[in-house]
Amino acid sequence: MKQILHYSPTSLADASAYLTKNAGSKAIAGGTELYYSLKQNNLPSEPTILVDLKSIPNLDYITESGGVLKIGPLTKLAEIANSTTVQTNYRALAQAAGAVASPVIRNMGTIAGNITQDVWCWYYRGTDNLYNCLRKGGVICYATAGDNRWYHSIFGGPKGCNAIHPSDTATALSALNASVVTTKQTLTMDNFFYNLAPGNTLAQGELITEIDVPTPAAGSKSAFVKLANRNSIDFALANAAVWYTPASGAVTSCKIYLGGVFQVPYHATAAETALKGQTISATTAATVGTAAVSAATPMTGNSFKKQLASIAVQRALLA
Amino acid sequence: MSLQGPPYRLVGQWAGVRLEAPARISGQFKLGADWNLPNQAYLKVKLSTIPSGTIASMDASAARAMPGVLAVVTPSDVQNNAAWSKIKVGTYPLLPYDRIRHAGEVIAAVVAEDPYVAEEACQAINVTYNPSPFVLAPEDAIASSAPLVNPPASNESATVTYKFGDAATAMTQPGITQLSSRYESALIQHNNIMPHAFTISVDTTGRVEMYTATQASKTHASDLATALGVSASRVRVYSLSSDGGFGDKGDAGGGYTAFPPEILAAILSQQLGRPVHHRWTHEENLLVSLHRSKVVFYITTGYNSSGTVMALTAQGYGTGSPYTSSSSNASGALNNFIWTYKFPNFTLNGNDGHANTYRQGPMRNPASPHPAWALSSHLDMVAAALGINPVTMMQANNMYTQGDKDQLTGYRIISIGQPDCLNRVLTLSGFMSKWKAFNKSTPLTGVVHGIGIANHATGNGGTAAAETGAIMMAADGSFNILIDNNSVGGGGRERNIIIAAEALGLPLGMVTMDNGDTDCGIDTGNTVGSGATKHVGDVIGLACLDAKSQMLARAATLLNTTTDKLTYALDGTMQIYVTATPTQSVTFAQLGGYPRIVGRGTMTLPPSTTGRVYNSAVSEVDVDTDTGLVTVTDVYQVEDIGQKIFNSGCDTQMKSGILMALGMALQEEQWPDVPTGMQLMTSHLDIKNPLVTQMPNMVVDFIQNPELPPDSYNFGAKGMGEPPINPSVPATANAIYNAVGARIYNLPMTCDKILKALGKA
């Protein structure tokens, strides 16, 4: 492991300026993603300096006012999962944060880190950059002919990459219509994610300053369901987050997203169309679940994920 | 003289905290990775990224020039060095200057002042390859068109045939129905929390000392002596009981040879005049170390309407390690088909081939859980085809019972507890009242419950290599156990101390045991795994008898009487007294003078005798038919262990075995990338070991039927640690079938396979 310098900024402005000035620098918060990658030596380019955002005060908070839930970027996943406010009005987010990895990682990992983590694929993440895949500048996606059982797309591979985005909270935040506030702009979740490494639109030196979630209308409901090989630690084989209103009666408005099945959170618009005007029932859930994966084009080894994603949607609707 | 019988003071009775717990919790116990010597240097290795081919070029100049780098060894260095080129790992070069045989093979080594410099230097070695075609899968490996792994030799690494009766004729008799199936197990690795680590020191006198956790200390000693060109008496290997051995720390591939990094560390220590320490990373452990083989079994049974199997034929294909055959391969595994039931006719063939997969070798009960899964799954399918309860099927076949000889070899089997295990597990689990045949008309939606059962017999723990050992008295009457090939792992030391304390009538605190030390014995082969309970325990018992005999003789002299008039107190009071006048006595401390009392023991089984360990298990599962995800809710398991020595140790071995079995059954797999042959699944995120959160309710029990001299001198215990992994794999497979009516023929039985079997993927 190469030696890496460490910088402790005093403010977001300081951190942003330092990162902008030093091309080889990279921000670090909880470190559960970055330290793993450094140890595996699988980053496309290894940072020479780590800018530790933990040294900046007041970046971890959860407040609700003016119809908006404001979450500080360094708020721990465990804090979000255990927040009564989040549990009450933003259930899908609390469930998603509580479903991430393990208690140890939830106690270290931050919300900003969880949505900015890189895509997952065991070729792309191979130790010592063993596989020079498309995403790393190579000429083939090794997953296409190789083993694509677990963490690969079922909705095709933009630019030939079949990796998936592993975040649980990103799926929930997308369904809850959240916005990501950065040092330069405010982005919807859809705009935040973008089909290029590292998976979002943040420029060098651009930092997340807050995540804003509009308070759902009274009478609406949200839920998140994760399906994974093991009931903790593992990334989702498929996850689903739904938000709809009203909770009882014919649905007039809804958002449905899938995670772990595409390079970014997958907006299941066909499922939303199928749900609108319907009352929640097992039959409706099954129809909507089927619609959610109607556009799926599974790879050679992961057709089962189509079933899992469909079931995740069904269970989220009925939860 | 023989060991006393029950009731025991300690054996199977002692229920205190684990003897080693304080040292472990306080960090006083040194693990292999903690064993550091003054002025030591650090070794790191560079691994191949191709599965087959040759090294076109290797430029280590940048690595050699790095500050802090003390030595770099490349394959050409080995080839061009008169002494090093003669060093063989098995029959192969120390570093692969001839050809690379698997992805992740060690192709260079660096020794540096610190491990980080060594790691960077390894990364700075620039390698280009001439890749060549490779082969991975078992049946492909022995195909005539397969690329040769060790040209010009054939890929065939081992063959075996077991034949009894006339299976071909029996198979075609009237009233016989045939069922054929193919089963494929998965290549898996130990994933031990403590990867292999060692420290080797060679001083200026040529004295070699190695500190490591290995079950193969004796062959390590002889290999290091050969490699360094020193006499065997100059090499001393300490096997640390603090670490687990797991099997993958034992050798370089089934042949009990030291790993290339160990030999490299030794020769570089000799060259540099400094100790060399190497601590493998988890990834290195996954790539360089040993795995349980992937084996394909084709099974055909011919059975009658009662479920009696009149004929069994099986063909096994295993991927041999690229270098040597493996005990976990088809050739090692097939005899597990014929140790539980006395099938009247069988023909079993095993063909293993060298392949460009990872090294394979010992892993907990190496040859057993995968054939246990295959055969018991198949028999469960026979029961299903007949519409009978699987226990009825078991009872319709001729299970080995006490007094039977092995029908193939004619060997006497020391003790047989399979029927007792089955009966006990049926009682514990309530299987007969819970089991209902899968109903094909039941809609498969939501979560469904199933229950399965399996038996299994294994040779591990029943017998072992010959062994030697000693126990030495100190001036205060306490004793220290001296074993050359220590049973690595936490429970082994405690078990041995309990045996000695019971045999000598000592308080537990008056017996200690050092790490294994090859200077304490002679090379009688490696006593590994559960065999350590059997034969290490036996030699300790025999050594205690020898010591007692010497103590009585010395006491007789001091008390001016004869030994037949003395009583040796076994109650922990540490005295010998005149039976008729107990006030006339000597304490053990009074016997501790010169010459020192040293009891010695040597153990080997009587000729034409074999030992086996039996298990029965019932598993209950919830199968989510919409996701294919399986939750094992309950496991009941009973093992025939001869005599329980160390209560909590037995309990935890059973439960850890069950948990490992569930990992093997449902989750774990490590296999190279098929198109490229390169390493894949190299982290614990990829290889899905079972988690604590997945532990089912586990109910375990033991059948105790102590073995007797001359078969046993450890109070009758069998080695019970490895066998618990076996029956829960098939019991879980059978429970899944019972729940959903679908048989999964490939391990692990993951959700994708279950959904596919259910027609949902």
Side-chain angles (χ1 to χ4, degrees), chain B residues 310-591:
Chain B
M310 301 306 296
L312 165 70
T313 64
Q315 171 67 53
Y317 297 103
T319 40
S321 194
Y323 287 98
T324 60
S325 190
S326 159
S327 52
S328 62
N329 236 314
S331 56
L334 274 171
N335 54 14
N336 280 258
F337 280 16
I338 50 175
W339 287 350
T340 299
Y341 303 101
K342 291 184 286 184
F343 297 119
N345 302 283
F346 57 79
T347 302
L348 315 177
N349 293 306
N351 296 86
D352 298 327
H354 290 301
N356 299 104
T357 52
Y358 311 119
R359 292 176 188 266
Q360 292 148 52
M363 181 174 173
R364 192 175 193 168
N365 218 149
S368 289
H370 40 329
W373 163 72
L375 182 68
S376 287
S377 294
H378 187 87
L379 297 180
D380 199 62
M381 291 305 287
V382 171
L386 289 167
I388 62 176
N389 185 306
V391 177
T392 306
M393 165 86 189
M394 291 172 174
Q395 291 165 341
N397 285 281
N398 199 2
M399 199 179 296
Y400 270 97
T401 57
Q402 187 67 32
D404 282 342
K405 290 185 175 180
D406 182 279
Q407 65 173 353
L408 186 64
T409 64
Y411 280 18
R412 179 177 65 91
I413 302 169
I414 300 171
S415 68
I416 300 171
Q418 189 71 77
D420 293 336
C421 288
L422 176 60
N423 291 334
R424 182 68 182 134
V425 86
L426 288 173
T427 302
L428 280 178
S429 65
F431 180 88
M432 296 304 278
S433 60
K434 290 178 180 175
W435 185 87
K436 291 179 179 57
F438 171 72
N439 186 343
K440 290 179 181 173
S441 62
T442 304
L444 287 175
T445 57
V447 175
V448 295
H449 193 74
I451 186 167
I453 188 167
N455 294 320
H456 189 68
T458 176
N460 285 49
T463 182
E467 191 52 78
T468 63
I471 190 162
M472 184 166 64
M473 192 181 202
D476 62 354
S478 64
F479 280 80
N480 189 36
I481 299 168
L482 304 170
I483 294 294
D484 54 0
N485 188 31
N486 195 5
S487 48
V488 290
R493 188 197 298 248
E494 290 164 306
R495 174 202 63 220
N496 293 337
I497 287 173
I498 289 171
I499 289 172
E502 183 77 58
L504 291 170
L506 294 166
L508 273 180
M510 296 301 281
V511 182
T512 55
M513 180 172 166
D514 291 329
N515 291 315
D517 179 351
T518 50
D519 270 8
C520 291
I522 57 169
D523 188 353
T524 53
N526 295 301
T527 298
V528 297
S530 303
T533 298
K534 182 77 191 90
H535 278 1
V536 173
D538 285 335
V539 299
I540 290 171
L542 287 164
C544 289
L545 289 177
D546 185 25
K548 282 173 72 172
S549 176
Q550 295 173 47
M551 292 161 72
L552 282 165
R554 190 169 294 181
T557 301
L558 291 173
L559 294 169
N560 198 24
T561 183
T562 54
T563 57
D564 61 319
K565 294 184 171 55
L566 294 175
T567 295
Y568 186 111
L570 291 165
D571 58 0
T573 56
M574 296 178 64
Q575 60 173 324
I576 295 171
Y577 56 87
V578 178
T579 307
T581 53
T583 53
Q584 287 184 276
S585 65
V586 291
T587 65
F588 288 2
Q590 290 174 282
L591 304 174

Side-chain angles (χ1 to χ4, degrees), chain B residues 47-106:
Chain B
L47 306 182
S48 160
T49 59
I50 65 166
S52 176
T54 57
I55 294 170
S57 67
M58 182 177 284
D59 181 0
S61 56
R64 292 184 207 276
M66 290 177 71
V69 170
L70 301 170
V72 177
V73 182
T74 65
S76 62
D77 293 332
V78 171
Q79 188 174 21
N80 297 324
N81 182 299
W84 298 355
S85 63
K86 292 177 184 159
I87 298 171
K88 302 296 179 191
V89 180
T91 57
Y92 301 96
L94 179 57
L95 287 176
Y97 54 75
D98 56 343
R99 64 185 299 107
I100 290 163
R101 294 170 176 84
H102 70 94
E105 177 156 17
V106 175

Side-chain angles (χ1 to χ4, degrees), chain A residues 133-217:
Chain A
C133 69
L134 269 180
R135 204 177 183 91
K136 285 181 173 166
V139 294
I140 63 168
C141 168
Y142 285 89
T144 303
D147 192 332
N148 49 45
R149 269 176 295 174
W150 304 135
Y151 305 124
H152 294 96
S153 173
I154 60 169
F155 289 103
K159 304 198 179 204
C161 173
N162 291 287
I164 55 96
H165 201 280
S167 171
D168 292 320
T169 60
T171 315
L173 288 168
S174 296
L176 291 168
N177 204 25
S179 298
V180 180
V181 183
T182 77
T183 46
K184 294 183 177 175
Q185 57 192 323
T186 298
L187 298 159
T188 64
M189 286 297 288
D190 282 346
N191 287 337
F192 177 75
F193 283 102
Y194 167 154
N195 301 344
L196 285 176
N200 56 61
T201 56
L202 294 183
Q204 177 72 16
E206 186 177 9
L207 295 167
I208 295 174
T209 59
E210 190 170 274
I211 292 166
D212 291 347
V213 190
T215 305

Side-chain angles (χ1 to χ4, degrees), chain A residues 24-183:
Chain A
S25 62
K26 194 171 179 65
I28 186 167
T32 56
E33 153 92 346
L34 186 54
Y35 284 135
Y36 174 80
S37 293
L38 288 172
K39 191 166 175 54
Q40 295 296 108
N41 189 31
N42 65 17
L43 292 170
S45 61
E46 195 166 70
T48 55
I49 307 168
L50 290 182
V51 179
D52 186 2
L53 303 180
K54 291 192 293 297
S55 61
I56 303 171
N58 305 320
L59 293 181
D60 55 333
Y61 54 86
I62 300 171
T63 63
E64 188 182 36
S65 64
V68 179
L69 177 76
K70 295 177 179 295
I71 305 175
L74 265 61
T75 306
K76 303 286 195 299
L77 295 165
E79 294 173 48
I80 295 169
N82 296 327
S83 161
T84 305
T85 302
V86 180
Q87 289 171 351
T88 303
N89 294 328
Y90 314 86
R91 187 168 74 134
L93 178 58
Q95 290 171 330
V100 174
S102 63
V104 172
I105 290 176
R106 293 195 292 273
N107 286 333
M108 289 290 291
T110 65
I111 185 67
N114 191 253
I115 65 171
T116 56
Q117 62 186 305
D118 204 350
V119 296
W120 195 270
C121 159
W122 53 20
Y123 296 99
Y124 177 65
R125 296 286 192 129
T127 305
D128 295 332
N129 287 310
L130 183 60
Y131 293 92
N132 185 33
C133 69
L134 269 180
R135 204 177 183 91
K136 285 181 173 166
V139 294
I140 63 168
C141 168
Y142 285 89
T144 303
D147 192 332
N148 49 45
R149 269 176 295 174
W150 304 135
Y151 305 124
H152 294 96
S153 173
I154 60 169
F155 289 103
K159 304 198 179 204
C161 173
N162 291 287
I164 55 96
H165 201 280
S167 171
D168 292 320
T169 60
T171 315
L173 288 168
S174 296
L176 291 168
N177 204 25
S179 298
V180 180
V181 183
T182 77
T183 46

Side-chain angles (χ1 to χ4, degrees), chain A residues 123 127 131 230 307 315, chain B residues 283 624 626 673 679 688-689:
Chain A
Y123 296 99
T127 305
Y131 293 92
R230 296 174 289 189
Q307 164 78 4
R315 291 183 179 175
Chain B
E283 183 169 346
D624 185 331
D626 296 320
D673 179 49
Q679 50 266 58
K688 302 193 180 301
N689 307 119

